[in-house]
């Protein structure tokens, strides 16, 4: 075998993180580095996607408010139906949230992977790479939702079919529903979350289809499942705490204008305050859920490949080759 060139110190941390299996702390601290290193994609990408969804939702609400058949705000006209334009606007708004969720969860993967090599990918390049895989990403989401829908259907079937006037039977059905949710649905949700994180990385970075990505996840996750669950649980607690705190502050701040305005303008002031609070809360959700937690998800996938497939050595060789090429071009 020909002797491989020795890897130098430049190869081991050319970007935001050392090219080696990641310790626990890196999954919490490195996402902040990724957000600072490539703000346009890691932070700006999810914000832009959900801004578009929020605008479409606002248009759907406006269409419903002005629907002459729906009569939401009329004290005199009764409900007559829903116009086609209102239904179409609502469907488009709902689909936009689904697509935005999938894209925002995936667009950070190429940005974090490039950041590990010290490279910045542009928003247009990251969006193009992610949009090219949107069909497989949506199919993965559908496949992941099927087991949860089945268990949820079984859990609530007993409540639906039980006579509510029979206290003993209804109580037993309620206990059975709670048991299915806690003992079956919650563990399945954790498992799906871990495997989906890895499968999403395979779709975006390896250009695998949905079925191939699931197979890749089945190959990579064993041996790292509980460690990944712990990482996602801790990061999820941090994200949830920040979102709750930010939501409380924005809702409280939205009420302040009511006390600072006259009684005639109080309704308008409160409405404006809640709209502004909703905008800031949406920003907080995007940054915590998709920028921070999404970067952690990308690191989980990359860490598994470094541990099981030697991806760190491949990245190190690529970084060293890039450095050598740059030196030769300057000579």
């Amino acid at each position: 075998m020909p002797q491989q060139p020795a890897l130098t110190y430049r190869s081991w941390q050319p970007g935001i993180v050392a090219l080696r299996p990641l310790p626990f702390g890196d999954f919490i601290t490195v996402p902040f580095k990724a957000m600072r290193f490539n703000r346009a994609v890691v932070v700006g990408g999810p914000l832009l996607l959900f801004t578009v969804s929020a605008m479409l939702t606002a248009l759907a609400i406006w269409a419903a408010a002005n629907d002459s058949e729906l009569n939401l705000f009329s004290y005199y006209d009764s409900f007559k139906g829903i116009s086609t334009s209102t239904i179409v606007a609502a469907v488009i708004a709902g689909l936009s949230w689904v697509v935005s969720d999938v894209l925002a969860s995936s667009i950070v993967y190429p940005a974090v992977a490039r950041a590990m090599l010290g490279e910045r990918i542009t928003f247009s390049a990251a969006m193009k790479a992610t949009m090219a895989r949107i069909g497989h990403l949506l199919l993965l989401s559908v496949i992941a939702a099927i087991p949860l829908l089945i268990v949820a259907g079984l859990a609530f079937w007993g409540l639906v079919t039980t006579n509510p006037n029979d206290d003993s039977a209804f109580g037993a059905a309620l206990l059975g529903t709670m048991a299915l949710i806690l003992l079956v649905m919650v563990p399945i949700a954790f498992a799906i979350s871990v495997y989906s994180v890895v499968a999403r990385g395979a779709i975006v970075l390896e250009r695998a289809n949905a079925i191939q990505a699931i197979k890749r996840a089945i190959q990579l996750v064993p041996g790292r499942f509980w460690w990944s669950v712990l990482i996602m649980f801790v990061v999820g607690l941090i994200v949830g705490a920040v979102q709750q705190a930010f939501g409380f502050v924005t809702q409280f701040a939205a009420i302040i204008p009511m006390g600072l305005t006259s009684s005639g303008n109080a309704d308008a002031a409160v409405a404006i305050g809640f709209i502004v609070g909703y905008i800031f809360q949406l920003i907080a959700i995007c940054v915590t859920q998709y920028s921070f937690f999404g970067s952690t998800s990308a690191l989980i996938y990359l860490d598994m490949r470094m541990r099981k497939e030697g991806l760190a050595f491949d990245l190190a060789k690529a970084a060293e080759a890039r450095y050598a090429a740059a030196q030769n071009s300057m000579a």
Side-chain angles (χ1 to χ4, degrees):
M1 294 291 294
Q3 185 177 2
Q4 297 293 329
L7 300 177
T8 68
Y9 69 93
R10 287 183 299 274
S11 302
W12 296 109
Q13 189 165 348
I16 61 174
V17 65
L19 299 181
R20 44 138 175 81
L22 305 180
F24 182 84
D26 281 359
F27 292 98
I28 298 175
T29 59
V30 173
F32 292 104
K33 297 180 181 179
M35 292 161 63
R36 291 194 301 268
F37 186 82
N38 195 338
R39 298 181 183 91
V41 178
V42 181
V43 179
L47 284 176
L48 179 60
L49 290 167
F50 278 97
T51 298
V52 174
S53 297
M55 293 175 64
L56 292 174
T57 302
L59 289 174
I61 294 173
W62 179 85
N66 292 274
D67 192 338
S68 59
E69 297 181 9
L70 192 57
N71 296 317
L72 286 177
F73 302 105
S74 175
Y75 292 100
Y76 305 101
D77 298 325
S78 60
F79 171 78
K80 300 177 182 178
I82 303 176
S83 64
T84 304
S85 60
T86 302
I87 296 175
V88 171
V91 171
I92 292 175
L95 291 176
S96 71
W97 283 102
V98 174
V99 174
S100 296
D101 176 71
V102 172
L103 289 177
S105 301
S106 306
I107 196 172
V108 298
Y109 277 75
V112 173
R114 291 288 188 89
M116 292 181 70
L117 288 174
E119 300 175 355
R120 287 182 176 87
I121 186 173
T122 63
F123 172 78
S124 59
M127 191 67 180
K128 182 179 179 181
T130 308
M131 281 297 297
R133 315 303 299 163
I134 185 62
H136 300 290
L137 290 169
L138 289 172
L139 179 58
L140 176 66
S141 299
V142 172
I143 294 174
I146 290 175
L148 294 176
L149 291 176
I150 293 175
V151 175
L154 293 174
F156 290 100
W157 178 255
L159 290 178
V160 174
T161 57
T162 301
N163 183 6
N165 296 321
D166 189 344
D167 294 338
S168 60
F170 189 79
L174 182 61
L175 289 176
T177 299
M178 295 176 61
L180 277 174
I181 292 175
L182 294 176
L183 300 179
V184 179
M185 193 171 183
V186 172
I188 289 178
F190 272 112
I192 289 176
S193 298
V194 174
Y195 281 88
S196 295
V197 160
V198 180
R200 191 180 301 123
I203 290 175
V204 176
L205 298 180
E206 300 180 40
R207 303 187 65 81
N209 60 43
I211 303 302
Q212 292 171 342
I214 293 173
K215 293 180 180 179
R216 286 285 289 146
I218 294 174
Q219 293 174 353
L220 293 172
V221 170
R224 299 294 298 171
F225 175 78
W226 292 111
W227 187 246
S228 301
V229 169
L230 177 62
I231 293 168
M232 296 175 68
F233 179 74
V234 172
V235 174
L237 288 178
I238 296 173
V239 169
V242 172
Q243 290 180 359
Q244 289 294 327
F246 202 90
F248 174 79
V249 172
T250 53
Q251 290 175 12
F252 179 76
I255 302 175
I256 294 177
M258 183 173 62
L260 302 178
T261 57
S262 60
S263 58
N265 298 323
D267 292 341
V270 171
I272 294 173
F274 272 104
I275 291 174
V276 174
Y278 172 76
I279 292 173
F280 280 103
Q281 193 167 1
L282 182 63
I283 293 173
I285 291 173
C286 287
V287 172
T288 54
Q289 181 67 33
Y290 297 100
S291 301
F292 180 70
F293 192 84
S295 298
T296 301
S297 300
L299 291 172
I300 290 174
Y301 161 77
L302 294 167
D303 176 69
M304 287 184 183
R305 290 196 62 189
M306 285 192 288
R307 291 177 182 273
K308 295 194 173 185
E309 298 178 348
L311 179 64
F313 293 98
D314 295 333
L315 294 175
K317 292 176 182 178
E320 190 62 28
R322 182 190 62 190
Y323 178 81
Q327 291 297 103
N328 293 333
S329 65
M330 294 174 59

